[in-house]
């Protein structure tokens, strides 16, 4: 076994994913404690160039793995075979990767070929006694567990976007391209269908912006729609807004409407009757904007703004657009 | 043809999770045990092919004695027979996958369905491990499927990041992970529940199936997530408060 | 009597001598049946609540058909007719599990109870073959048409008339039945009519038969979604072969069906209590006042605990009843020519217990619904929240299947009939009690677990018999007109049966696992500690009433009553806190 930590990077359209870069930086930071060297690796066509960006984050050795059968599209069989073949040659001490949709799919397969264990969806990494300890949520985040891979290499998948990106230091990476021999993949990718533009169901929405009676008219709901658009979210409403006829019932969140479970819930001009709270209490983050400082919604909100909706919402929408397009 | 289904008994998603005093597990006293919701799609997928492929559907579960209830549920839904692999304490995904793979190989199944992940450990690994041990191809998440006209393979839709769908074709044998949207699982019927009693349910020991294979992941300590910190409430210049919120969304909770 | 079932005997047997079936004995399959009923209601029925309550055409019948496809209607139908051939215990788990949406519950209970059972118990082979399989699968939806405008509680006063055609092939039915549950869509109805205006009889009437129609939907206080219509019979042409049972024996069918309906109503209302408690527990944990969740307040805990206790008591009587029926049926020859008639007789033997189940469970549900409104406060009064619905929807249960008043009268009335017929030897028991009043009740060893409470419940039964004895002695046959006394006697008898069943259950659990019996024991003792002093007061007032308030006449009675049920000090606050703590942690009572 070597003392390499391999960071498996992902890329798209010739660019490395930001979460891969974050992982590279995190590995570089931990390398000292493990007395290890970090290597970045990417599987697939056309990522050699993209791997250059790891240099400034403390990793100078990068490998683009190619194999006959790898195409621009993800193929579970081919990715599994290519990565595990290469890892069997390299024999690293640890393999870090992201549990993106594709990562979750093929990394357990790679681990099995290497006859080791894999921890998926970690949200924190520490080092104890020279081994990596991963913390991961279980029971849908209702509990956490610290776990260790006792096999070798230690393979851990990290949930995307949990580590921030530190400032770049200005190093330069040398990227090699390695071609490995793999068996022809048994799965055929017949087609890749792009996301259809569709109205997201409230119950499945990740981000919801809801308006209440304080919106005052159906026309004013455009403020809510604009903010939802800017956030890539869906429009919700309180019962009061629905009853007032500002928006159809399909948008109602609460006891007699939909029960939602988004990552972010933005309540605009909603006082927070228990009826409404019952429908959105499991939202991970709650933002409330209301001119009434005593509105019960503030007791549930992680971030509350006391102020005038019609002034704040356009400014907020504009700022979010800027951040997202940057 | 024989079709296998892998099911797991898990706490109902409404269960409040309470840790044991030593922090090495969860209190099971008030837990209501149910079939893993994603596994219901797997059972349904198998049952829909039961007739067209004249298939025997064999349901497998690895777990303690109470896992029998979940197997009975699958039998009541229409599976033909059940195999429980006894493991008194949970095994890691690697050992679980190995034990299941050995049992599946012995059963002669050529197509295996399972839920894309179990809602207890949320790991989503066992199906891929089973496939690897059996040297079969696998699609770990599928929300649409159809069997080819000649019954020689299957086409599935695999959801990928950003709403993209990958249309994947596989020959048999294969392992398919089932996601919400694949189908609407049936309820077991009352006659189904009563008949399930008569259906064969065999038991095997995980240690016999595993030979020398041992787990590779150790769970050290459980903890509960920190309480939601008291929210902040700000007021003042609209430009300024909007900026503070954007910073929070961007830097702290990272949703934008 | 081949089945060996004798109702009312609980009064003369010491606690625990009978071996009641307890829900803790349910097999895994039966638990799964209940789980299916629960999942179906939560997954298919409750999500359609708005449509059901708006009586959107087709919604309720479609849900009923779906329930039929899953087998929820075939539990008690024999296998020969496409059913599962299971007994009352199985029917109980389905009834309690399927409760949850009042209109749907009413429709389903009507289908599996009073619509199906008359055919099962009284149908000819041909009638059973023709109709049971269809009712079992939901292909046919059924109804039961007894009530008329002038014949409610006095059902035999019906004016609907049946006349045989001269060729002997048909009966022509004329009249109007009212308050027919499922009447708007039922395919088959058991209709009661008097042949030649005299002989009370039952007929199986299909909706497609000529001359059968129904009137408009009634506007009701609750269960808006259930169909309640008048049934109109205008020269309704019913084949002579559709006469159910014999001419002039319709009352047997009517009463046997009601017995079934009463127990079934008990089971369903118990299930609804469980749902209400679950919703209330969720609310009191979420709702904060004075900086604390409502659940942290002592009075909230009292309400939660009292609801849980009621559910435990309901379970104890409903499952006991089901178990006794199944035991009786098991003793019958399944192939006997009169098998199904014998089964109807078993039901009749347990008429008292069926009435108790109806009264006690429907009133428990009413109290749970009322407390749910109270705990929700202002929100409880709003239509948007469930308690307002619980409150309206539950109310009918104290009225239909015989009002609770009629059912109360039936309890002492039937007991006295049994006594007169010698079925139960109350006289010997009364003599023993009078002797004990002189010599004093035997002392109990307080070291024996539960002995003190067993003794209390045994004394309660003796008190019931004593008060009954005094009443009969003073009034003679005239007692049937003394409705207020009958009502008090019924309350005493109901409490005795409930206490007997619940304590017997605890004794059984205690023998199996003393630690696991802790919570049930706490619930039963909390009930007895609160209720026994009230019952003693009730008995005291009853004998004072019988004495017409005359101090001289009252003195011996009062002295006697005073000797029963010595007060046992008990910390109800602590008991309720312990009970509430378990329920709050569990989030529900549990099934």
């Amino acid at each position: 076994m070597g003392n390499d930590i391999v960071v498996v990077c992902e890329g798209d359209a010739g660019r490395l994913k930001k979460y891969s870069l974050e992982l590279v930086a995190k590995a570089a930071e931990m390398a000292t404690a493990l007395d290890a060297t970090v290597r970045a690796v990417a599987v697939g066509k056309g990522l050699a160039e993209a791997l250059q960006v790891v240099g400034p984050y403390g990793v100078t050795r990068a490998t683009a793995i190619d194999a006959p059968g790898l195409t621009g599209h993800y193929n579970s069989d081919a990715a599994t075979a290519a990565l595990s073949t290469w890892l069997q040659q390299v024999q690293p001490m640890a393999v870090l990767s992201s549990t993106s949709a594709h990562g979750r799919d093929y990394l357990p397969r790679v681990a099995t070929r290497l006859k080791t264990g894999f921890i998926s969806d970690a949200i924190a990494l520490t080092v104890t006694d020279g081994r990596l300890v991963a913390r991961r949520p279980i029971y849908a985040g209702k509990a956490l567990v610290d776990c260790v891979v006792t096999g070798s290499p230690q393979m851990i998948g990290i949930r995307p976007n949990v580590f921030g990106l530190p400032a770049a230091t200005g190093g330069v990476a040398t990227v090699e391209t390695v071609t490995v021999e793999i068996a022809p993949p048994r799965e055929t990718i017949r087609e890749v269908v792009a996301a259809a533009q569709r109205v997201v169901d409230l119950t499945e929405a990740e981000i919801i912006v809801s308006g209440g009676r304080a919106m005052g008219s159906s026309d004013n709901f455009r403020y809510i729609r604009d903010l939802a658009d800017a956030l890539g979210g869906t429009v919700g409403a309180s019962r009061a807004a629905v009853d007032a006829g500002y928006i159809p019932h399909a948008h109602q969140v609460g006891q007699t409407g939909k029960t939602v479970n988004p990552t972010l819930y933005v309540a605009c001009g909603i006082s927070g009757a228990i009826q409404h709270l019952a429908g959105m209490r499991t939202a991970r983050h709650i933002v409330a904007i209301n001119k009434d400082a005593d509105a019960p919604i503030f007791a549930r909100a992680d971030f509350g703004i006391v102020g005038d909706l019609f002034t704040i919402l356009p400014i907020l929408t504009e700022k979010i657009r800027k951040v997202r397009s940057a | 043809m024989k079709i296998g289904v892998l099911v797991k008994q898990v706490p109902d998603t409404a269960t409040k999770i309470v840790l044991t005093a030593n922090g090495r597990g969860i209190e099971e006293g008030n837990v209501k045990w149910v079939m893993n919701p994603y596994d219901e799609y797997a059972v349904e997928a198998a049952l829909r092919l039961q007739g067209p492929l004249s298939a025997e559907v064999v349901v497998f579960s690895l777990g303690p004695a109470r896992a029998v209830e979940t197997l009975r549920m699958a039998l009541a839904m229409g599976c033909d027979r059940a195999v429980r692999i006894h493991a008194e304490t949970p095994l890691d995904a690697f050992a679980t996958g190995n034990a299941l793979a050995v049992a599946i190989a012995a059963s002669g199944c050529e197509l295996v369905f399972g839920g894309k992940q179990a809602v207890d450990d949320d790991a989503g690994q066992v199906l891929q491990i089973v496939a690897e041990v059996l040297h079969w191809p696998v699609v770990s998440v599928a929300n649409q499927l159809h069997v080819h006209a000649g019954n020689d393979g299957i086409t599935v839709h695999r959801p990928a990041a950003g709403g993209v769908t990958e249309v994947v074709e596989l020959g048999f044998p294969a392992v398919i992970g089932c996601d919400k949207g694949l189908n609407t699982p049936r309820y077991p019927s009352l006659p189904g529940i009563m008949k399930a009693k008569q259906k064969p349910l065999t038991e095997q020991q995980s240690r016999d199936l595993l030979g020398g294979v041992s787990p590779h992941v150790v769970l050290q300590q459980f903890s509960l997530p920190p309480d939601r910190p008291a929210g902040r409430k700000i007021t003042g210049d609209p430009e300024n408060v909007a900026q503070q919120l954007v910073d929070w969304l961007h830097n702290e909770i990272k949703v934008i | 009597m081949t089945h060996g079932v004798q109702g009312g005997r609980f009064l003369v047997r010491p606690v625990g001598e009978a071996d009641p079936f307890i829900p803790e004995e349910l097999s895994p399959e039966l638990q799964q049946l209940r789980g299916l009923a629960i999942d179906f209601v939560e997954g298919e029925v409750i999500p359609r609540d708005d449509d059901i309550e708006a009586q959107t055409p087709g919604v309720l019948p479609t849900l009923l058909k779906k329930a039929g496809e899953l087998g929820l209607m075939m539990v008690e139908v024999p296998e020969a007719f496409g059913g599962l051939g299971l007994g009352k215990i199985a029917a109980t788990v389905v009834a309690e599990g399927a409760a949850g949406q009042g209109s749907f519950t009413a429709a389903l209970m009507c289908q599996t109870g009073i619509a199906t059972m008359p055919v099962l118990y009284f149908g000819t082979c041909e009638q059973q073959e023709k109709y049971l399989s269809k009712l079992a699968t939901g292909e046919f939806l059924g109804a039961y048409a007894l009530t008329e405008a002038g014949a409610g509680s006095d059902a035999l006063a019906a004016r609907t008339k049946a006349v045989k055609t001269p060729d002997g092939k048909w009966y022509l039915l004329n009249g109007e039945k009212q308050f027919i549950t499922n009447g708007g869509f039922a395919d088959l109805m058991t209709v009661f009519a008097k042949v030649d205006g005299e002989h009370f009889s039952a007929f199986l009437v299909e909706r497609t038969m000529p001359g059968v129609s129904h009137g408009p939907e009634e506007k009701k206080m609750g269960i808006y979604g259930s169909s309640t219509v008048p049934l109109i019979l205008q020269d309704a042409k019913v084949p002579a072969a559709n006469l159910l049972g014999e001419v002039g024996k319709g009352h047997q069918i009517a009463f046997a069906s009601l017995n079934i309906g009463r127990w079934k109503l008990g089971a369903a209302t118990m299930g609804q209590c469980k749902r209400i408690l679950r919703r209330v527990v969720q609310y009191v944990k979420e709702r904060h006042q004075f900086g604390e969740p409502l659940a942290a307040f002592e009075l909230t805990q009292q309400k939660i605990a009292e609801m849980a206790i009621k559910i435990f008591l309901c379970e104890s009587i409903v499952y006991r009843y089901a178990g006794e029926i199944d035991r009786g049926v098991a003793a019958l020859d399944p192939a006997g020519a009169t098998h199904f008639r014998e089964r109807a007789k078993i039901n009749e033997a347990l008429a008292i217990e069926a009435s108790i189940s109806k009264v006690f469970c429907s009133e428990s549900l009413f109290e749970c619904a009322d407390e749910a409104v109270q705990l929700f406060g202002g929100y409880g009064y709003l239509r948007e929240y469930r308690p307002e619905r619980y409150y309206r929807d539950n109310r009918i249960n104290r009225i239909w299947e015989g009002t609770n008043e009629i059912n109360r009268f039936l309890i002492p009335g039937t007991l006295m009939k049994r006594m007169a017929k010698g079925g139960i030897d109350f006289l010997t028991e009364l003599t023993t009690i009078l002797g004990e009043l002189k010599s004093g009740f035997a002392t109990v060893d307080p070291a024996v677990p539960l002995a003190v409470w067993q003794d209390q419940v045994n004394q309660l039964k003796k008190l019931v018999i004593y008060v009954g004895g005094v009443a009969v002695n003073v009034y003679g046959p005239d007692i049937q007109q003394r409705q207020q006394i009958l009502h008090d006697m019924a309350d005493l008898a109901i409490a005795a049966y409930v206490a007997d069943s619940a304590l017997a259950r605890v004794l059984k659990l205690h023998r199996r696992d003393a630690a696991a019996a802790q919570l049930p024991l706490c619930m039963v003792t909390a009930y007895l500690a609160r209720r026994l002093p009230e019952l003693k007061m009730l008995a005291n007032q009853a004998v004072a009433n019988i004495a017409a308030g005359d101090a001289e006449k009252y003195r011996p009675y009062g002295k006697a009553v005073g000797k029963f049920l010595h007060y046992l000090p008990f910390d109800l606050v602590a008991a309720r806190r312990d009970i509430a703590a378990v329920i709050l942690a569990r989030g529900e009572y549990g099934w």
Side-chain angles (χ1 to χ4, degrees), chain A residues 94-143:
Chain A
V95 179
L96 301 182
S97 55
S98 296
T99 36
S100 59
H102 288 153
R104 281 180 75 99
D105 176 63
Y106 84 104
L107 290 160
R109 304 183 63 184
V110 172
T112 309
R113 288 201 191 179
L114 301 183
K115 301 207 169 356
T116 187
F118 174 68
I119 295 169
S120 66
D121 240 9
I123 54 166
L125 276 181
T126 50
V127 177
T128 306
D129 301 332
R131 295 197 81 85
L132 288 164
V133 179
R135 172 167 289 187
R136 60 185 305 273
I138 49 177
Y139 301 104
K142 287 189 275 188

Side-chain angles (χ1 to χ4, degrees), chain B residues 62 85 91 94-104 205-206 209-210 213:
Chain B
L62 182 142
I85 300 171
L91 299 174
F94 185 77
T96 303
N98 271 274
L100 286 167
V102 174
I104 290 164
Q205 294 295 323
S206 55
L209 294 170
L210 282 171
V213 173

Side-chain angles (χ1 to χ4, degrees), chain A residues 102 105 109 113 118 136 139-140 142 144 146 148 150 186 188 190-191 193 283-284 293 304 306 319, chain B residues 13 15 120-122 125 132 135 140 165-167 169 216 218 220-221 223 228 232-235 243:
Chain A
H102 288 153
D105 176 63
R109 304 183 63 184
R113 288 201 191 179
F118 174 68
R136 60 185 305 273
Y139 301 104
K142 287 189 275 188
L144 303 165
D146 294 338
V148 172
T150 54
R186 293 159 295 183
T188 309
R190 188 55 61 199
E191 197 184 347
V193 186
R284 194 179 305 162
V306 182
K319 284 178 183 292
Chain B
T13 50
T15 305
D120 52 357
D121 60 25
D122 290 323
Q125 296 196 41
E132 283 298 320
H135 302 291
S140 61
T165 297
E166 297 162 353
V167 182
E169 284 179 14
H216 287 316
V218 174
Q220 293 187 325
Q221 190 69 31
S223 56
R228 182 179 277 207
R232 71 190 83 174
K233 188 158 79 173
I234 60 170
T235 186
Q243 188 58 48

Side-chain angles (χ1 to χ4, degrees), chain A residues 203-216:
Chain A
T203 56
E204 288 179 8
E206 281 295 310
I207 295 178
I208 295 172
V209 183
S210 281
R213 201 201 317 260
M215 297 314 298

Side-chain angles (χ1 to χ4, degrees), chain A residues 74-77 80 101-102 104-106 108-109 111-113 115-121 133 135-151 161-164 186-196 204 207 231 263-264 281-287 289 293-294 298 300-307 311-312 315-316 319-320 323-324, chain B residues 11-17 19 26 92-94 98 116-117 119-125 128-129 131-133 135-141 155 158-171 180 215-226 228-236 238-246 248-250 253-256:
Chain A
Y74 172 75
N75 182 304
S76 182
D77 259 358
T80 302
H102 288 153
R104 281 180 75 99
D105 176 63
Y106 84 104
R109 304 183 63 184
T112 309
R113 288 201 191 179
K115 301 207 169 356
T116 187
F118 174 68
I119 295 169
S120 66
D121 240 9
V133 179
R135 172 167 289 187
R136 60 185 305 273
I138 49 177
Y139 301 104
K142 287 189 275 188
L144 303 165
V145 64
D146 294 338
C147 35
V148 172
V149 178
T150 54
N161 303 324
V162 298
F163 304 126
R186 293 159 295 183
E187 73 172 37
T188 309
I189 306 302
R190 188 55 61 199
E191 197 184 347
V192 176
V193 186
E204 288 179 8
I207 295 178
L231 285 165
T263 306
L264 175 65
R281 66 197 159 90
T282 57
R284 194 179 305 162
H285 305 290
I286 297 170
V287 172
I289 308 174
D294 294 324
F298 285 121
R300 299 292 179 106
D302 304 290
F303 199 108
I305 296 180
V306 182
T311 324
I312 294 167
I315 299 173
L316 186 61
K319 284 178 183 292
I320 288 168
V323 172
R324 280 174 61 98
Chain B
D12 183 273
T13 50
T15 305
K16 181 177 196 282
I17 299 298
L19 302 184
I26 65 159
D92 76 341
F94 185 77
N98 271 274
K116 70 161 184 175
Q117 73 187 65
V119 298
D120 52 357
D121 60 25
D122 290 323
Q125 296 196 41
Q128 294 95 309
I129 295 169
E132 283 298 320
V133 174
H135 302 291
W136 293 3
V138 54
V139 171
S140 61
V141 185
T155 299
R158 177 170 63 201
V164 169
T165 297
E166 297 162 353
V167 182
V168 184
E169 284 179 14
L170 300 171
K180 192 176 175 179
H216 287 316
V217 172
V218 174
L219 304 186
Q220 293 187 325
Q221 190 69 31
F222 289 68
S223 56
L224 294 177
R228 182 179 277 207
R232 71 190 83 174
K233 188 158 79 173
I234 60 170
T235 186
E239 187 70 30
N240 177 272
V241 294
Q243 188 58 48
Q244 286 190 49
L245 175 54
V246 171
W248 182 75
L249 292 172
H250 184 58
I253 67 165
K254 301 186 170 75
V255 293
I256 59 168

Side-chain angles (χ1 to χ4, degrees), chain B residues 186-216:
Chain B
R186 69 194 62 192
Y187 292 95
S189 69
L190 263 72
I193 290 170
M194 300 315 291
K195 273 186 218 141
K197 252 195 308 198
Q198 325 295 343
K199 292 183 178 176
L201 194 160
T202 54
E203 286 193 14
Q204 297 182 282
Q205 294 295 323
S206 55
R207 93 178 84 80
D208 297 340
L209 294 170
L210 282 171
V213 173
S214 56
H216 287 316

